[in-house]
Tab-separated table of all heavy atoms in Angstrom:
chain	number	residue	atom	x	y	z
A	778	GLN	N	20.933	169.511	25.429
A	778	GLN	CA	22.376	169.509	25.246
A	778	GLN	C	22.839	170.832	24.671
A	778	GLN	O	23.897	171.400	25.071
A	778	GLN	CB	22.808	168.373	24.298
A	778	GLN	CG	22.728	166.967	24.880
A	778	GLN	CD	23.014	165.853	23.861
A	778	GLN	OE1	22.848	166.110	22.626
A	778	GLN	NE2	23.556	164.791	24.339
A	779	LEU	N	22.111	171.389	23.752
A	779	LEU	CA	22.433	172.705	23.179
A	779	LEU	C	22.389	173.788	24.315
A	779	LEU	O	23.205	174.681	24.375
A	779	LEU	CB	21.561	173.057	22.067
A	779	LEU	CG	21.894	172.268	20.738
A	779	LEU	CD1	20.852	172.547	19.588
A	779	LEU	CD2	23.311	172.564	20.273
A	780	PHE	N	21.265	173.654	25.081
A	780	PHE	CA	21.217	174.632	26.195
A	780	PHE	C	22.331	174.507	27.184
A	780	PHE	O	22.865	175.483	27.633
A	780	PHE	CB	19.858	174.550	26.899
A	780	PHE	CG	18.707	175.141	26.097
A	780	PHE	CD1	17.658	174.270	25.786
A	780	PHE	CD2	18.692	176.435	25.769
A	780	PHE	CE1	16.522	174.783	25.019
A	780	PHE	CE2	17.643	176.944	25.030
A	780	PHE	CZ	16.492	176.110	24.682
A	781	ALA	N	22.796	173.283	27.471
A	781	ALA	CA	23.907	173.048	28.325
A	781	ALA	C	25.161	173.702	27.736
A	781	ALA	O	26.011	174.301	28.438
A	781	ALA	CB	24.051	171.587	28.607
A	782	ILE	N	25.426	173.450	26.428
A	782	ILE	CA	26.574	174.005	25.721
A	782	ILE	C	26.516	175.536	25.782
A	782	ILE	O	27.591	176.163	26.040
A	782	ILE	CB	26.703	173.445	24.317
A	782	ILE	CG1	27.011	172.040	24.315
A	782	ILE	CG2	27.745	174.223	23.521
A	782	ILE	CD1	26.891	171.270	22.965
A	783	GLU	N	25.318	176.085	25.517
A	783	GLU	CA	25.277	177.539	25.624
A	783	GLU	C	25.597	178.119	26.981
A	783	GLU	O	26.301	179.102	27.149
A	783	GLU	CB	23.829	177.921	25.176
A	783	GLU	CG	23.597	179.470	25.109
A	783	GLU	CD	22.174	179.871	24.750
A	783	GLU	OE1	21.324	179.060	24.823
A	783	GLU	OE2	22.046	181.022	24.415
A	784	ASN	N	25.085	177.417	27.997
A	784	ASN	CA	25.404	177.879	29.375
A	784	ASN	C	26.933	177.730	29.670
A	784	ASN	O	27.501	178.574	30.309
A	784	ASN	CB	24.648	177.027	30.337
A	784	ASN	CG	23.155	177.399	30.443
A	784	ASN	OD1	22.787	178.503	29.980
A	784	ASN	ND2	22.290	176.508	30.824
A	785	GLN	N	27.550	176.667	29.172
A	785	GLN	CA	28.963	176.458	29.388
A	785	GLN	C	29.716	177.609	28.708
A	785	GLN	O	30.731	178.076	29.216
A	785	GLN	CB	29.406	175.074	28.811
A	785	GLN	CG	28.903	173.991	29.709
A	785	GLN	CD	29.344	172.660	29.043
A	785	GLN	OE1	29.707	172.578	27.949
A	785	GLN	NE2	29.106	171.541	29.847
A	786	MET	N	29.235	177.946	27.490
A	786	MET	CA	29.975	179.025	26.768
A	786	MET	C	29.839	180.315	27.483
A	786	MET	O	30.798	181.121	27.537
A	786	MET	CB	29.393	179.140	25.255
A	786	MET	CG	29.669	177.974	24.380
A	786	MET	SD	31.411	177.733	24.128
A	786	MET	CE	31.854	179.095	23.183
A	787	ASP	N	28.644	180.596	27.988
A	787	ASP	CA	28.387	181.825	28.728
A	787	ASP	C	29.323	181.920	29.921
A	787	ASP	O	29.935	182.929	30.257
A	787	ASP	CB	26.998	182.019	29.178
A	787	ASP	CG	26.008	182.260	27.982
A	787	ASP	OD1	26.528	182.748	26.923
A	787	ASP	OD2	24.813	182.044	28.168
A	788	ASN	N	29.451	180.842	30.613
A	788	ASN	CA	30.299	180.751	31.906
A	788	ASN	C	31.751	180.880	31.441
A	788	ASN	O	32.520	181.610	32.212
A	788	ASN	CB	30.124	179.440	32.545
A	788	ASN	CG	28.781	179.264	33.190
A	788	ASN	OD1	28.068	180.283	33.512
A	788	ASN	ND2	28.319	178.040	33.417
A	789	LEU	N	32.208	180.250	30.412
A	789	LEU	CA	33.567	180.442	29.965
A	789	LEU	C	33.903	181.847	29.560
A	789	LEU	O	34.943	182.415	29.921
A	789	LEU	CB	33.842	179.492	28.748
A	789	LEU	CG	35.185	179.623	28.054
A	789	LEU	CD1	36.301	179.257	29.092
A	789	LEU	CD2	35.263	178.735	26.869
A	790	TYR	N	32.923	182.526	28.888
A	790	TYR	CA	33.101	183.947	28.513
A	790	TYR	C	33.305	184.777	29.741
A	790	TYR	O	34.181	185.617	29.826
A	790	TYR	CB	31.879	184.326	27.758
A	790	TYR	CG	31.818	185.820	27.434
A	790	TYR	CD1	32.613	186.406	26.407
A	790	TYR	CD2	30.999	186.736	28.212
A	790	TYR	CE1	32.537	187.686	26.189
A	790	TYR	CE2	30.982	188.033	27.999
A	790	TYR	CZ	31.783	188.623	26.924
A	790	TYR	OH	31.746	189.952	26.674
A	791	GLU	N	32.457	184.542	30.766
A	791	GLU	CA	32.555	185.352	31.957
A	791	GLU	C	33.907	185.144	32.712
A	791	GLU	O	34.598	186.119	33.121
A	791	GLU	CB	31.371	184.950	33.000
A	791	GLU	CG	30.061	185.512	32.502
A	791	GLU	CD	29.962	187.010	32.456
A	791	GLU	OE1	30.562	187.673	33.385
A	791	GLU	OE2	29.304	187.469	31.541
A	792	VAL	N	34.394	183.945	32.717
A	792	VAL	CA	35.652	183.551	33.374
A	792	VAL	C	36.799	184.288	32.630
A	792	VAL	O	37.680	184.853	33.259
A	792	VAL	CB	35.844	182.067	33.530
A	792	VAL	CG1	37.286	181.701	33.854
A	792	VAL	CG2	34.829	181.445	34.417
A	793	LEU	N	36.751	184.185	31.302
A	793	LEU	CA	37.784	184.813	30.505
A	793	LEU	C	37.880	186.271	30.633
A	793	LEU	O	38.946	186.890	30.880
A	793	LEU	CB	37.660	184.430	29.048
A	793	LEU	CG	37.952	182.932	28.687
A	793	LEU	CD1	37.625	182.622	27.248
A	793	LEU	CD2	39.403	182.612	28.991
A	794	ILE	N	36.735	186.950	30.560
A	794	ILE	CA	36.615	188.390	30.678
A	794	ILE	C	37.123	188.818	32.054
A	794	ILE	O	37.788	189.917	32.155
A	794	ILE	CB	35.178	188.866	30.474
A	794	ILE	CG1	34.751	188.576	29.019
A	794	ILE	CG2	34.976	190.329	30.788
A	794	ILE	CD1	35.559	189.346	27.948
A	795	LYS	N	36.856	188.093	33.096
A	795	LYS	CA	37.200	188.507	34.418
A	795	LYS	C	38.665	188.048	34.824
A	795	LYS	O	39.102	188.465	35.901
A	795	LYS	CB	36.231	188.011	35.477
A	795	LYS	CG	34.787	188.649	35.332
A	795	LYS	CD	33.763	188.094	36.302
A	795	LYS	CE	32.469	188.680	36.087
A	795	LYS	NZ	31.472	188.074	36.921
A	796	SER	N	39.233	187.306	33.977
A	796	SER	CA	40.629	186.775	34.301
A	796	SER	C	41.677	187.874	34.429
A	796	SER	O	41.556	188.912	33.716
A	796	SER	CB	41.024	185.761	33.339
A	796	SER	OG	41.340	186.299	32.072
A	797	ALA	N	42.636	187.704	35.244
A	797	ALA	CA	43.736	188.571	35.418
A	797	ALA	C	44.521	188.760	34.119
A	797	ALA	O	44.903	189.927	33.829
A	797	ALA	CB	44.593	188.205	36.556
A	798	THR	N	44.665	187.717	33.400
A	798	THR	CA	45.426	187.756	32.139
A	798	THR	C	44.744	188.625	31.129
A	798	THR	O	45.429	189.529	30.461
A	798	THR	CB	45.511	186.310	31.496
A	798	THR	OG1	46.173	185.500	32.516
A	798	THR	CG2	46.353	186.355	30.251
A	799	PHE	N	43.450	188.540	31.016
A	799	PHE	CA	42.704	189.343	30.039
A	799	PHE	C	42.655	190.790	30.524
A	799	PHE	O	42.832	191.706	29.693
A	799	PHE	CB	41.323	188.835	29.838
A	799	PHE	CG	40.495	189.605	28.741
A	799	PHE	CD1	40.771	189.405	27.470
A	799	PHE	CD2	39.535	190.440	29.055
A	799	PHE	CE1	40.164	190.075	26.460
A	799	PHE	CE2	38.855	191.109	28.132
A	799	PHE	CZ	39.120	190.922	26.751
A	800	GLN	N	42.476	190.977	31.766
A	800	GLN	CA	42.490	192.398	32.325
A	800	GLN	C	43.845	193.100	32.069
A	800	GLN	O	43.919	194.222	31.709
A	800	GLN	CB	42.097	192.461	33.795
A	800	GLN	CG	40.626	191.984	34.040
A	800	GLN	CD	39.624	192.885	33.304
A	800	GLN	OE1	39.667	194.103	33.347
A	800	GLN	NE2	38.652	192.243	32.682
A	801	ASN	N	44.908	192.320	32.268
A	801	ASN	CA	46.219	192.770	32.000
A	801	ASN	C	46.397	193.138	30.546
A	801	ASN	O	47.005	194.119	30.213
A	801	ASN	CB	47.290	191.792	32.439
A	801	ASN	CG	48.664	192.285	32.322
A	801	ASN	OD1	48.976	193.426	32.613
A	801	ASN	ND2	49.628	191.505	31.752
A	802	TYR	N	45.889	192.260	29.599
A	802	TYR	CA	45.977	192.471	28.240
A	802	TYR	C	45.254	193.803	27.828
A	802	TYR	O	45.809	194.583	27.092
A	802	TYR	CB	45.304	191.314	27.446
A	802	TYR	CG	44.965	191.671	26.077
A	802	TYR	CD1	45.906	191.647	25.112
A	802	TYR	CD2	43.621	191.977	25.705
A	802	TYR	CE1	45.608	192.074	23.722
A	802	TYR	CE2	43.288	192.280	24.451
A	802	TYR	CZ	44.237	192.294	23.455
A	802	TYR	OH	43.965	192.649	22.173
A	803	LEU	N	44.146	194.024	28.406
A	803	LEU	CA	43.341	195.268	28.099
A	803	LEU	C	44.125	196.455	28.607
A	803	LEU	O	44.171	197.523	27.909
A	803	LEU	CB	41.993	195.255	28.800
A	803	LEU	CG	40.974	194.229	28.253
A	803	LEU	CD1	39.694	194.298	29.026
A	803	LEU	CD2	40.700	194.564	26.804
A	804	LYS	N	44.753	196.399	29.747
A	804	LYS	CA	45.607	197.517	30.306
A	804	LYS	C	46.719	197.827	29.399
A	804	LYS	O	46.985	198.920	29.026
A	804	LYS	CB	46.030	197.183	31.720
A	804	LYS	CG	46.814	198.278	32.338
A	804	LYS	CD	47.224	197.868	33.738
A	804	LYS	CE	48.125	198.959	34.307
A	804	LYS	NZ	48.671	198.522	35.679
A	805	GLN	N	47.480	196.781	28.972
A	805	GLN	CA	48.668	196.868	28.195
A	805	GLN	C	48.320	197.441	26.753
A	805	GLN	O	49.021	198.264	26.204
A	805	GLN	CB	49.397	195.589	28.016
A	805	GLN	CG	49.978	195.083	29.299
A	805	GLN	CD	50.917	196.030	29.952
A	805	GLN	OE1	51.799	196.667	29.250
A	805	GLN	NE2	50.957	196.198	31.221
A	806	LYS	N	47.172	196.960	26.249
A	806	LYS	CA	46.670	197.506	24.967
A	806	LYS	C	46.376	198.962	24.991
A	806	LYS	O	46.719	199.713	24.130
A	806	LYS	CB	45.451	196.647	24.509
A	806	LYS	CG	44.929	197.062	23.151
A	806	LYS	CD	43.714	196.228	22.789
A	806	LYS	CE	43.117	196.719	21.517
A	806	LYS	NZ	41.920	195.976	21.182
A	807	SER	N	45.732	199.336	26.104
A	807	SER	CA	45.461	200.772	26.318
A	807	SER	C	46.656	201.647	26.372
A	807	SER	O	46.772	202.667	25.751
A	807	SER	CB	44.599	200.955	27.558
A	807	SER	OG	44.344	202.266	27.844
A	808	LEU	N	47.674	201.148	27.104
A	808	LEU	CA	48.902	201.812	27.267
A	808	LEU	C	49.642	201.914	25.937
A	808	LEU	O	50.257	202.923	25.591
A	808	LEU	CB	49.821	201.147	28.282
A	808	LEU	CG	49.373	201.202	29.761
A	808	LEU	CD1	50.317	200.405	30.698
A	808	LEU	CD2	49.394	202.639	30.220
A	809	MET	N	49.506	200.873	25.128
A	809	MET	CA	50.158	200.848	23.867
A	809	MET	C	49.589	201.857	22.917
A	809	MET	O	50.365	202.617	22.236
A	809	MET	CB	49.999	199.480	23.182
A	809	MET	CG	50.722	199.392	21.858
A	809	MET	SD	50.391	197.832	20.975
A	809	MET	CE	48.684	197.951	20.615
A	810	TYR	N	48.275	202.075	22.897
A	810	TYR	CA	47.618	203.022	22.062
A	810	TYR	C	47.889	204.429	22.530
A	810	TYR	O	47.700	205.391	21.771
A	810	TYR	CB	46.164	202.736	21.870
A	810	TYR	CG	45.869	201.707	20.868
A	810	TYR	CD1	45.574	200.343	21.242
A	810	TYR	CD2	46.045	201.871	19.549
A	810	TYR	CE1	45.308	199.329	20.320
A	810	TYR	CE2	45.849	200.938	18.569
A	810	TYR	CZ	45.433	199.640	19.021
A	810	TYR	OH	45.226	198.694	18.040
A	811	GLU	N	48.286	204.603	23.763
A	811	GLU	CA	48.571	205.883	24.289
A	811	GLU	C	49.991	206.354	23.944
A	811	GLU	O	50.303	207.536	23.982
A	811	GLU	CB	48.368	205.992	25.809
A	811	GLU	CG	46.950	205.900	26.200
A	811	GLU	CD	46.759	205.713	27.759
A	811	GLU	OE1	47.710	205.936	28.476
A	811	GLU	OE2	45.625	205.364	28.160
A	812	ASP	N	50.852	205.414	23.578
A	812	ASP	CA	52.227	205.780	23.266
A	812	ASP	C	52.336	206.515	21.994
A	812	ASP	O	51.682	206.194	20.966
A	812	ASP	CB	52.966	204.419	23.179
A	812	ASP	CG	54.487	204.663	22.912
A	812	ASP	OD1	55.148	204.879	23.927
A	812	ASP	OD2	54.895	204.513	21.759
A	813	LYS	N	53.155	207.602	21.999
A	813	LYS	CA	53.367	208.487	20.861
A	813	LYS	C	53.822	207.765	19.664
A	813	LYS	O	53.362	207.908	18.550
A	813	LYS	CB	54.179	209.656	21.261
A	813	LYS	CG	54.329	210.660	20.176
A	813	LYS	CD	55.265	211.815	20.601
A	813	LYS	CE	55.419	212.723	19.388
A	813	LYS	NZ	56.360	213.854	19.752
A	814	LYS	N	54.862	206.945	19.902
A	814	LYS	CA	55.535	206.235	18.784
A	814	LYS	C	54.524	205.230	18.107
A	814	LYS	O	54.471	205.144	16.888
A	814	LYS	CB	56.795	205.503	19.267
A	814	LYS	CG	57.572	204.773	18.234
A	814	LYS	CD	58.254	205.750	17.226
A	814	LYS	CE	59.120	204.980	16.312
A	814	LYS	NZ	59.605	205.800	15.221
A	815	VAL	N	53.803	204.570	18.913
A	815	VAL	CA	52.794	203.573	18.376
A	815	VAL	C	51.761	204.341	17.610
A	815	VAL	O	51.434	203.905	16.482
A	815	VAL	CB	52.121	202.800	19.559
A	815	VAL	CG1	50.944	201.969	19.013
A	815	VAL	CG2	53.159	201.864	20.156
A	816	ARG	N	51.287	205.493	18.004
A	816	ARG	CA	50.278	206.225	17.297
A	816	ARG	C	50.866	206.720	15.990
A	816	ARG	O	50.183	206.653	14.890
A	816	ARG	CB	49.766	207.509	18.105
A	816	ARG	CG	48.910	207.101	19.228
A	816	ARG	CD	48.129	208.307	19.834
A	816	ARG	NE	48.980	209.526	20.006
A	816	ARG	CZ	49.484	209.844	21.169
A	816	ARG	NH1	49.259	209.120	22.217
A	816	ARG	NH2	50.226	210.920	21.251
A	817	GLU	N	52.117	207.167	15.967
A	817	GLU	CA	52.799	207.586	14.747
A	817	GLU	C	52.883	206.408	13.722
A	817	GLU	O	52.595	206.525	12.534
A	817	GLU	CB	54.148	208.186	14.978
A	817	GLU	CG	54.169	209.445	15.674
A	817	GLU	CD	55.492	209.887	16.210
A	817	GLU	OE1	56.464	209.106	15.968
A	817	GLU	OE2	55.554	211.069	16.704
A	818	LEU	N	53.369	205.256	14.235
A	818	LEU	CA	53.451	204.021	13.368
A	818	LEU	C	52.157	203.658	12.827
A	818	LEU	O	51.998	203.271	11.597
A	818	LEU	CB	54.184	202.898	14.149
A	818	LEU	CG	55.549	203.111	14.471
A	818	LEU	CD1	56.091	202.013	15.397
A	818	LEU	CD2	56.476	203.102	13.187
A	819	ARG	N	51.154	203.657	13.646
A	819	ARG	CA	49.817	203.264	13.230
A	819	ARG	C	49.220	204.191	12.144
A	819	ARG	O	48.696	203.743	11.169
A	819	ARG	CB	48.893	203.229	14.445
A	819	ARG	CG	47.491	202.565	14.154
A	819	ARG	CD	46.806	202.389	15.505
A	819	ARG	NE	45.595	201.527	15.260
A	819	ARG	CZ	44.366	202.133	15.029
A	819	ARG	NH1	44.294	203.480	15.132
A	819	ARG	NH2	43.347	201.473	14.835
A	820	ALA	N	49.431	205.503	12.364
A	820	ALA	CA	48.953	206.469	11.394
A	820	ALA	C	49.669	206.277	10.037
A	820	ALA	O	49.081	206.353	8.964
A	820	ALA	CB	49.175	207.906	11.943
A	821	ASP	N	51.052	206.064	10.128
A	821	ASP	CA	51.733	205.780	8.893
A	821	ASP	C	51.291	204.514	8.186
A	821	ASP	O	51.065	204.533	6.971
A	821	ASP	CB	53.234	205.709	9.248
A	821	ASP	CG	54.142	205.554	8.050
A	821	ASP	OD1	54.021	206.337	7.137
A	821	ASP	OD2	54.899	204.580	8.045
A	822	PHE	N	51.009	203.509	8.923
A	822	PHE	CA	50.491	202.232	8.394
A	822	PHE	C	49.195	202.498	7.631
A	822	PHE	O	48.946	202.045	6.492
A	822	PHE	CB	50.449	201.155	9.445
A	822	PHE	CG	49.761	199.930	8.932
A	822	PHE	CD1	50.492	198.982	8.154
A	822	PHE	CD2	48.429	199.681	9.247
A	822	PHE	CE1	49.862	197.847	7.786
A	822	PHE	CE2	47.835	198.562	8.809
A	822	PHE	CZ	48.484	197.629	8.050
A	823	ILE	N	48.252	203.153	8.321
A	823	ILE	CA	46.896	203.423	7.799
A	823	ILE	C	47.008	204.240	6.563
A	823	ILE	O	46.334	203.944	5.515
A	823	ILE	CB	46.023	204.079	8.886
A	823	ILE	CG1	45.713	203.012	9.937
A	823	ILE	CG2	44.728	204.550	8.178
A	823	ILE	CD1	44.970	203.556	11.158
A	824	ALA	N	47.889	205.252	6.522
A	824	ALA	CA	48.030	206.023	5.308
A	824	ALA	C	48.545	205.243	4.167
A	824	ALA	O	48.090	205.294	3.028
A	824	ALA	CB	48.999	207.224	5.593
């Protein structure tokens, strides 16, 4: 049963990582961190 659950989790992980929604999220996150205003706000927050 534990091996079956582990396999199901591995399969779920693969499906999520390859999903269009997650890929879109990664792309948008990358674009966000490239934005000058976001970088300024983040630097101010960290300081």
Side-chain angles (χ1 to χ4, degrees):
Q778 289 177 331
L779 288 176
F780 285 121
I782 292 171
E783 183 179 17
N784 288 338
Q785 290 173 351
M786 293 298 294
D787 290 342
N788 291 338
L789 177 60
Y790 172 79
E791 289 295 323
V792 169
L793 289 173
I794 294 297
K795 293 177 182 176
S796 72
T798 302
F799 186 72
Q800 293 302 314
N801 184 44
Y802 162 77
L803 291 177
K804 180 181 176 184
Q805 295 302 320
K806 182 179 175 182
S807 175
L808 292 172
M809 180 185 71
Y810 279 104
E811 291 173 12
D812 184 79
K813 182 180 177 183
K814 183 68 175 170
V815 171
R816 286 196 315 263
E817 290 170 358
L818 289 170
R819 190 169 186 266
D821 184 50
F822 172 80
I823 291 170

